[in-house]
Every structure is written in C-alpha cells, then in structure tokens.
Amino acid sequence: MISIKYFLLLFLIFQSLDTIPVGKISTPQGEIWINLDERTPRHRASFIQLAEAGYWDSLTFNRVIPNFVAQGGCPDTPEGFTDSEYLLEPEFHPELTHVYGAVGAGRDDNPGKLSASCQFYIVQNPNGLHRLDGDYTVFGHVIKGMEIIDQIVKVKRNESNTPDIPIPLTVEIIYLSQQDYNQLTQNSIK
C-alpha cells in the first residue's frame, strides 16, 4: 500500500508540472507580480531558488530612481558582484528588452556581463531603457502591480538614490494553474 507521504509527494510533483511559477513581491505599498521568462532558464531558476530560500525577505528596494528603475536585493557591494554563487552568464534575447515593467538582473562593469542574481530591477521608465538592451539580462516582466513600482520610485531618497525610509520586500513564488495565471494577466501591462 502507498503511504500518504509518498502519495502527497507524487501529487505535488504532478501538480507542479501543470502550474506556472510566478514571482510575487510584497511591499508595504502593495504587491508586484512577475512573469519569469522561460527563455532565460538560468536566471529564472536562480530567482525561484533565491525566493524559495527567503533570500530577499530581510532586504529592501535599495535603489530607486524615477524614470529609470526600482532595484532590490543585495546592495551594491563587492559580495554581490564577486561571489560566484550569485554570478550568472548573460542570457540575452532580442525579444526580451528593457520596456516598462521589464525585470532584469543587476551587474557591475565586468567584461563578461555576468549578472549578480541576488539583485533585480524593474524598469519604471514608460519609454523603456533600450540603451541597456544586450548589456543586462531581462528575465521577466511585471504582469500586475506597476502602479506600486511607480509609487516606490517617488519616495524621498538620498544622494545615492536609497530611500530615506527603507522599503522592505518579501519575494515568494506562487504556482498558478493556467486558468489562474490567465485571470491574473487579464489586465496586465503590455
């Protein structure tokens, strides 16, 4: 006879085959929902792994610039850019560009354009930031909650664009059925 634990494990495995992982960022201002693009498998997997490990849950949106980006994750420190555990090869695709709501991976000025997967940013410029295309990996897109990002970039900040009052965030992965995903994206930004 099959044990209940074994049955539940099989159920969860088969259920995950029919679901879509979506990033959900919760802030005091509200929630931001992110589609993680399958064309960037390393960045997508890394985002899911870090979110499920609770990596960002004690961190903030540490850099906010109107008409540019809201950036969260590890601050601009050497650890974020030199720790090989967090560095990813770029995954550039001509279809994945820096449009309003694009989600990308931060990086320093390294010649290999390696991403610091512990950092992510969301493009807030309504015209996009196409000068970044081909230099920074876009691995997702906001499907709900850009009004929250628009609020976040307007907060009072210091000369290094760090909010005067920290904006904490938690990031989790929500596994949605195709029907629930379609419902969530019905009014998404394009």
Side-chain angles (χ1 to χ4, degrees):
M1 188 160 145
I2 298 176
S3 75
I4 291 177
K5 286 182 184 179
Y6 182 72
F7 176 77
L8 288 174
L9 179 62
L10 285 176
F11 175 78
L12 291 172
I13 290 170
F14 286 115
Q15 182 183 15
S16 68
L17 295 175
D18 293 336
T19 59
I20 300 166
V22 176
K24 178 180 152 190
I25 302 171
S26 299
T27 72
Q29 289 82 356
E31 296 174 345
I32 303 123
W33 294 79
I34 298 172
N35 175 55
L36 303 169
D37 202 287
E38 293 178 350
R39 293 172 286 186
T40 56
R42 290 186 304 273
H43 285 74
R44 182 178 193 244
S46 176
F47 188 89
I48 290 170
Q49 178 184 9
L50 290 173
E52 289 182 339
Y55 177 84
W56 291 294
D57 294 353
S58 64
L59 299 175
T60 64
F61 275 103
N62 58 293
R63 184 172 175 231
V64 298
I65 305 171
N67 290 313
F68 190 56
V69 301
Q71 181 174 311
C74 65
D76 293 337
T77 60
E79 294 80 24
F81 296 115
T82 59
D83 188 338
S84 62
E85 179 180 356
Y86 296 113
L87 296 177
L88 297 173
E89 294 287 330
E91 295 179 288
F92 302 134
H93 289 276
E95 308 87 25
L96 300 177
T97 62
H98 285 82
V99 296
Y100 179 72
V103 181
R107 71 171 183 83
D108 64 0
D109 233 2
N110 71 77
K113 301 180 183 181
L114 300 174
S115 299
S117 65
C118 56
Q119 286 189 8
F120 62 88
Y121 59 86
I122 299 171
V123 174
Q124 191 273 330
N125 188 313
N127 298 317
L129 295 170
H130 296 289
R131 63 187 170 84
L132 303 178
D133 294 346
D135 283 323
Y136 294 81
T137 297
V138 171
F139 65 91
H141 196 271
V142 172
I143 51 178
K144 186 175 182 183
M146 273 307 291
E147 71 279 2
I148 305 304
I149 295 298
D150 292 339
Q151 290 175 30
I152 287 172
V153 298
K154 292 178 183 174
V155 301
K156 190 172 180 187
R157 60 197 188 283
N158 65 23
E159 63 280 347
S160 64
N161 295 306
T162 301
D164 286 348
I165 299 172
I167 302 170
L169 53 93
T170 57
V171 182
E172 59 187 309
I173 302 300
I174 307 297
Y175 292 88
L176 300 175
S177 68
Q178 186 65 56
Q179 180 180 353
D180 290 340
Y181 179 82
N182 292 344
Q183 194 170 23
L184 179 66
T185 61
Q186 239 173 359
N187 300 318
S188 70
I189 59 174
K190 301 292 182 209

